[in-house]
Amino acid sequence: MSALESYALESLVATHAVCRAAIYTQEVFHSLVKGTVSKDDRSPVTIGDFGAQALIIAAIRHNFPDDEIAGEEESSLLRSNSELRDKVWKLVSRVHLSNPEEDLLLGGPLKSADAMLDAIDGGKSAGGNKGRLWALDPIDGTLGFLRGGQYAVCLALIQDGEVVVGVMGCPNLPIDKTTPIINSGIGRDVQSNDGLGIVVSAIAGRGVTARPLTGENRTEEQPIQMRMLSSLADASFCEGIEAAHSSHNQQKAIADKLGIIAPPVQLDSASKYVSIARGSADIYLRLPKTLGYEEKIWDHAAGYLITREAGGEVTDAIGKKLDFGKGRTLVMNKGIVAAPKAIHGKVLEAVRAVRGI
């Protein structure tokens, strides 16, 4: 078996695990169980975060018990708050995939609330550049999730510091990439999820595919790739709705320097990687406002591989390769520049000029 073929099972397990977790998050939202608490960094945490992490870690443990996992959440809050724990368990205990064989591959339903808590706590790896490490963000874009907008379930396998499998579930992205993106009210004001929800899977060296999250066509994978641009002026940026983590003003200056006049495509979360990978936009920049800010590996590992396998390049703001082997953060990197390979160099030049680096 070749090195590339050896990740087929990992990709399959990751894809089904992300699908199950994404369906769970939809159930959480539609059940209006959106109680939130605060983390130290003040970002919202939802019932969806805890349950999605438990479901995915349980699936990884069932199939790859020796692998390490770096996940965003831990269970101390649930262990001290029985009411919140019971809300999460009630929803986790009833989620399943429509195909029983896929559920069986993941180890079936979790056995108890205690098993759920133990699974959540299975994501405490310190990371590093040796061996196999799964990087998991159960809900990236929590504000988007809470407003009924865009969010993503992100999972990647990192082997000896290199990302080899990347899967992202985007429950509210349109299946048709030409359909306008909705950034609020899905499941509340927008009454139907019809036409929404995709899962994107990549294996290093083997390309990237997308498929519907649910429905009768959910097994139909289609390859995706970035747009072929005849001119840099035809490009468009993808940017977050909130400006808390990246400078919109700097991005506007970079767009002006490149001669890009198209308005940016706005959406929450790491789903921006998926949007540029399938050609809904072309360039994604993350330019931290805070000098000492360190990106988390689980926020970028899956999107990094998906973008590269779709024909893009992803570096930091000075052109360095992203280093996923230095722990739980991208401590060696500052900022993110993702774009088609053909224009990445020019985008990087503009970024460095505007930021004075």
Side-chain angles (χ1 to χ4, degrees):
M1 181 178 291
S2 72
L4 292 179
E5 291 172 342
S6 67
Y7 295 112
L9 177 60
E10 286 85 345
S11 179
L12 183 65
V13 170
T15 298
H16 290 327
V18 166
C19 282
R20 183 169 70 169
I23 291 168
Y24 165 82
T25 64
Q26 290 179 312
E27 288 294 319
V28 171
F29 187 88
H30 291 303
S31 299
L32 302 181
V33 186
K34 302 189 298 295
T36 62
V37 296
S38 293
K39 285 194 223 174
D40 290 341
D41 67 358
R42 298 181 180 270
S43 64
V45 177
T46 66
I47 290 169
D49 274 308
F50 293 117
Q53 177 150 320
L55 288 162
I56 290 176
I57 290 180
I60 294 171
R61 281 179 160 180
H62 178 72
N63 287 276
F64 312 109
D66 296 328
D67 289 3
E68 293 194 15
I69 306 166
E72 187 172 27
E73 307 302 336
E74 53 86 28
S75 75
S76 60
L77 178 68
L78 296 186
R79 292 182 187 276
S80 64
N81 185 330
S82 60
E83 181 180 357
L84 185 60
R85 179 201 63 207
D86 291 345
K87 284 183 178 180
V88 178
W89 172 241
K90 180 179 179 181
L91 289 162
V92 166
S93 64
R94 70 189 192 200
V95 71
H96 61 86
L97 295 172
S98 58
N99 184 334
E101 292 184 1
E102 295 172 355
D103 256 342
L104 187 62
L105 176 65
L106 302 181
L110 275 69
K111 302 298 188 290
S112 66
D114 285 341
M116 176 187 74
L117 297 176
D118 289 343
I120 293 171
D121 285 335
K124 295 182 178 180
S125 172
N129 62 359
K130 300 295 183 184
R132 290 162 54 104
L133 170 71
W134 293 88
L136 164 63
D137 192 344
I139 294 182
D140 184 82
T142 326
L143 290 174
F145 171 73
L146 291 173
R147 69 164 65 98
Q150 300 306 320
Y151 67 97
V153 179
C154 307
L155 181 63
L157 174 60
I158 302 167
Q159 174 82 53
D160 298 330
E162 298 290 336
V163 186
V164 294
V165 173
V167 179
M168 289 178 58
C170 304
N172 290 338
L173 268 187
I175 296 170
D176 182 349
K177 68 179 183 180
T178 65
T179 300
I181 292 171
I182 302 172
N183 282 312
S184 66
I186 297 171
R188 186 186 299 118
D189 305 320
V190 180
Q191 294 302 318
S192 174
N193 285 77
D194 289 348
L196 301 177
I198 63 170
V199 179
V200 180
S201 307
I203 300 177
R206 293 184 59 181
V208 56
T209 61
R211 72 183 208 184
L213 175 62
T214 58
E216 60 184 21
N217 297 324
R218 67 183 183 81
T219 60
E220 296 181 6
E221 294 182 331
Q222 298 293 331
I224 62 172
Q225 63 181 11
M226 304 187 83
R227 286 200 303 170
M228 300 293 292
L229 298 170
S230 57
S231 169
L232 186 54
D234 296 331
S236 63
F237 279 90
C238 198
E239 71 176 15
I241 295 174
E242 311 292 336
H245 297 298
S246 188
S247 172
H248 285 184
N249 290 336
Q250 284 192 351
Q251 181 161 301
K252 176 64 167 60
I254 292 164
D256 291 344
K257 194 170 188 65
L258 293 169
I260 296 174
I261 59 175
V265 176
Q266 289 193 321
L267 68 163
D268 291 295
S269 83
S271 58
K272 290 184 280 290
Y273 280 115
V274 171
S275 291
I276 66 170
R278 64 179 187 159
S280 299
D282 307 290
I283 303 166
Y284 166 41
L285 305 179
R286 187 169 168 96
L287 307 174
K289 294 180 176 181
T290 305
L291 184 63
Y293 183 77
E294 295 179 6
E295 302 285 351
K296 309 298 190 297
I297 61 171
W298 49 75
D299 288 336
H300 298 284
Y304 166 86
L305 183 63
I306 286 167
T307 301
R308 287 172 60 88
E309 289 298 315
E313 184 57 271
V314 186
T315 67
D316 71 6
I318 62 172
K320 289 173 60 179
K321 180 181 177 181
L322 301 189
D323 189 343
F324 292 94
K326 292 294 189 292
R328 291 168 67 91
T329 68
L330 295 173
V331 64
M332 303 302 294
N333 302 109
K334 299 301 177 185
I336 304 290
V337 177
K341 285 183 180 178
I343 65 170
H344 184 272
K346 292 182 179 179
V347 174
L348 189 60
E349 287 178 10
V351 169
R352 297 179 68 175
V354 168
R355 291 173 64 86
I357 54 179

